[in-house]
Amino acid sequence: MNHKYYGIISPMVQPNIRSEKWSIVATSHQRKLLEKTVCEFRCKVRGLVGVIYTHWSSVGLLDAKSQIPAVEKLIHQTAKNPNPKYQYFNSRFHKFPSYYRRGAIQFAIGQVSSFVTRYRMWQSGMRNRFDALPPRLNADCGAYPPLYKGQCIKFAEDLKSTAIKVFTGTDWVWITVGLTGHRQRHLDLANKRKSPYLVINQKGCHLSVPFQCKRTKLPEAQSVLAVDLGINTTATVSVVNYDGTVSHREFIHHGRDIDRRDKRLKRISKKASLTGKLHKGFCRSLYRKANNINREIGQKVSSRLVKIARQYGVKYIVFEYLKGWRPKGGKKRSTLKQRFHGWLHRRIVNLTEMKWSELGGKVVFVNPRGTSSHAYDGSGKLRRNQENYEIAVFASGKQYNCDLSASYNIGARFIYQLMSRNGSQDKKGQNSCLSPRSRVTLSMLWRLLPSSIVEQDTTSSR
């Protein structure tokens, strides 16, 4: 059973981890020390990957708690272990802190374990292509050091500064740097702060601070928030009650941002038509700007969905299950094809799921088949207006917004699924989604609860 599709949480609930980016305010000299620390940590990981892979036949059979001591016995000299097998690490990484060493060992074990698993899958024939090349063990990987509290990092009480143990080239010393960019998770005492990671790249240096957030449970409500994601309108939202009434309707469409994105994509198309053979990195800056605008639109839309869900006190946000679906409309290199490439259906779903699950809600999915092609009032299939494709013409002749009708059906389909867990909607077909034996529309809720028929005019008043 697909637990994610049905909105049911598996018995093995994963911890709710969310990370924040805390920017480091450092001088040029302090930044060089931080870069040396990351470089030294990566050199340690590079050497450990080869050692662990060589002894994987014995290390791989141990549990997670026993693997790190077993590797330390191979590389680290102590009073009880005066002659480790690999003396290179004692001479090359002199005075290397123990907590940094264990973090490097843990990362290297993960690299080797991932490679061994992928290589065995390739040997067994589980490949994307028949002629796919075998995976390679990458020892020169971009690892960032974990900073364990009290040993590698010491936060100030106001969290405006912190002390970090860094490598100077010959010794390990403590330096104090400033911190900015805090959010609100550290103010909640129920959230547990984990060990941060020191991240340094071309954009700057910061701490990636993970928080284990406490899972709260929202009370059961008598309504759901149904969302229809589209091309012409980014998101059409409806709050559908269990009795078939609609409490709220809203169109979310950031037209200004979409125009800014499309203007850059149009410039790319024009330059491509004037250029012969496109070289690698063609219009890289324009593609980057368009992608950043798309990311911002996804953040704004998901934040608005969460805000509406909190305002109306719903527990479930319902989407169509469109994972893996690719639109086929539009000719090659056409404007419509370009709009499909910029569609944000998966990004909005993922961002909404992360934000809403942190607040205790659930994001669930329904079968998308028939939600847009059938009228919400049960009159059957609808026709699209040829002049304006957003307008739907019902069998009775009434005109209505197609996306709004689809959002009603999405909410009604999930409510009907809750009411009849053992009915036909729970039977799974051969495809990845549910195969409904009947087209569930909003009108089915009216038939289940006859008292709500008097409210039918409320949903179609606009």
Side-chain angles (χ1 to χ4, degrees):
M1 180 181 292
N2 192 342
H3 295 289
K4 182 178 180 181
Y5 181 87
Y6 285 26
I8 302 172
I9 295 180
S10 177
M12 296 182 62
V13 180
Q14 298 295 330
N16 194 11
I17 304 294
R18 295 291 181 268
S19 296
E20 292 186 0
K21 178 182 176 181
W22 292 3
S23 300
I24 296 177
V25 182
T27 62
S28 59
H29 176 65
Q30 290 175 335
R31 179 179 171 85
K32 290 181 181 178
L33 295 179
L34 294 173
E35 290 176 352
K36 287 182 179 179
T37 305
V38 175
C39 183
E40 187 73 0
F41 180 82
R42 291 181 176 179
C43 290
K44 184 89 171 183
V45 171
R46 189 183 305 120
L48 285 170
V49 167
V51 173
I52 294 172
Y53 182 64
T54 303
H55 298 271
W56 186 249
S57 58
S58 58
V59 175
L61 299 177
L62 302 175
D63 57 358
K65 293 183 178 180
S66 303
Q67 285 178 337
I68 295 179
V71 177
E72 280 187 326
K73 189 175 180 180
L74 295 171
I75 64 170
H76 184 52
Q77 182 179 6
T78 61
K80 296 182 179 180
N81 185 34
N83 297 312
K85 186 171 183 178
Y86 298 93
Q87 297 286 346
Y88 163 78
F89 290 91
N90 289 324
S91 59
R92 168 62 179 83
F93 302 99
H94 185 58
K95 293 184 179 180
F96 200 87
S98 60
Y99 282 84
Y100 276 118
R101 180 178 65 249
R102 290 165 188 168
I105 292 174
Q106 189 173 10
F107 187 89
I109 289 174
Q111 283 290 109
V112 175
S113 177
S114 174
F115 165 73
V116 171
T117 302
R118 290 182 287 112
Y119 189 79
R120 287 175 179 173
M121 292 175 62
W122 178 85
Q123 281 185 319
S124 62
M126 300 174 63
R127 312 173 190 177
N128 294 330
R129 303 189 317 272
F130 177 77
D131 58 343
L133 297 177
R136 295 181 179 180
L137 178 60
N138 183 19
D140 191 11
C141 46
Y144 292 109
L147 305 178
Y148 293 98
K149 180 180 178 182
Q151 303 295 330
C152 304
I153 189 170
K154 297 177 181 178
F155 287 103
E157 292 185 1
D158 56 359
L159 296 179
K160 293 184 179 180
S161 63
T162 182
I164 302 176
K165 183 178 284 189
V166 297
F167 184 62
T168 62
T170 56
D171 198 5
W172 292 82
V173 299
W174 290 91
I175 62 170
T176 302
V177 295
L179 293 176
T180 59
H182 305 86
R183 301 183 72 178
Q184 304 297 323
R185 290 189 179 94
H186 66 281
L187 300 177
D188 191 351
L189 299 178
N191 296 336
K192 185 178 179 181
R193 188 174 69 232
K194 299 289 187 177
S195 299
Y197 284 83
L198 176 61
V199 180
I200 297 181
N201 48 36
Q202 296 178 353
K203 298 181 180 179
C205 53
H206 66 272
L207 295 179
S208 178
V209 187
F211 286 87
Q212 183 174 348
C213 303
K214 182 181 179 181
R215 287 189 178 272
T216 58
K217 292 184 178 181
L218 293 179
E220 294 292 337
Q222 295 299 313
S223 58
V224 299
L225 180 67
V227 184
D228 178 66
L229 302 176
I231 302 296
N232 297 321
T233 304
T234 306
T236 306
V237 183
S238 300
V239 179
V240 182
N241 300 332
Y242 283 18
D243 59 358
T245 59
V246 179
S247 303
H248 178 74
R249 290 165 286 200
E250 185 173 331
F251 297 96
I252 304 175
H253 190 69
H254 297 275
R256 180 178 298 179
D257 294 332
I258 293 175
D259 290 342
R260 289 170 53 229
R261 180 200 65 190
D262 292 344
K263 186 180 295 184
R264 284 160 175 79
L265 295 177
K266 196 67 177 177
R267 290 171 60 186
I268 295 173
S269 178
K270 186 175 181 180
K271 287 186 177 182
S273 62
L274 299 176
T275 308
K277 185 178 180 180
L278 303 183
H279 58 84
K280 184 178 180 181
F282 175 77
C283 291
R284 180 181 298 175
S285 60
L286 291 176
Y287 275 116
R288 177 180 54 83
K289 291 178 182 178
N291 187 45
N292 289 340
I293 295 174
N294 246 11
R295 292 175 58 187
E296 182 66 17
I297 294 173
Q299 290 284 357
K300 290 179 179 179
V301 174
S302 62
S303 298
R304 181 56 187 165
L305 293 178
V306 172
K307 186 176 181 180
I308 297 173
R310 296 186 67 180
Q311 179 181 353
Y312 286 89
V314 303
K315 182 178 181 180
Y316 299 102
I317 298 180
V318 190
F319 290 96
E320 293 175 308
Y321 189 80
L322 297 175
K323 186 175 182 180
W325 182 78
R326 295 291 182 271
K328 299 179 180 179
K331 297 181 181 179
K332 189 176 182 180
R333 296 183 180 180
S334 65
T335 305
L336 181 60
K337 203 74 171 180
Q338 198 174 52
R339 292 175 66 187
F340 278 134
H341 278 297
W343 193 20
L344 295 170
H345 67 290
R346 286 309 304 171
R347 180 168 291 172
I348 292 174
V349 168
N350 293 335
L351 291 173
T352 305
E353 189 171 11
M354 287 189 292
K355 296 175 181 179
W356 191 231
S357 62
E358 185 176 350
L359 298 176
K362 297 180 182 179
V363 173
V364 293
F365 304 88
V366 296
N367 188 345
R369 181 141 189 182
T371 55
S372 300
S373 60
H374 286 71
Y376 75 90
D377 60 357
S379 58
K381 281 195 173 184
L382 50 83
R383 293 182 293 105
R384 296 290 187 95
N385 192 313
Q386 297 300 324
E387 297 179 357
N388 188 355
Y389 203 66
E390 294 182 1
I391 301 299
V393 181
F394 294 178
S396 59
K398 180 176 67 174
Q399 294 186 354
Y400 206 77
N401 185 278
C402 182
D403 296 333
L404 204 57
S405 174
S407 66
Y408 297 163
N409 294 337
I410 291 171
R413 184 162 292 186
F414 178 72
I415 294 173
Y416 184 80
Q417 177 182 318
L418 287 178
M419 292 181 177
S420 55
R421 280 292 186 186
N422 297 323
S424 61
Q425 289 292 309
D426 277 349
K427 296 180 181 178
K428 197 167 193 260
Q430 294 180 357
N431 56 0
S432 60
C433 302
L434 293 176
S435 54
R437 275 47 176 176
S438 60
R439 300 295 177 213
V440 179
T441 59
L442 188 65
S443 60
M444 294 195 68
L445 299 183
W446 302 338
R447 291 196 291 269
L448 291 175
L449 300 172
S451 60
S452 65
I453 296 181
V454 295
E455 304 291 342
Q456 181 175 351
D457 295 333
T458 304
T459 60
S460 57
S461 60
R462 295 183 184 180

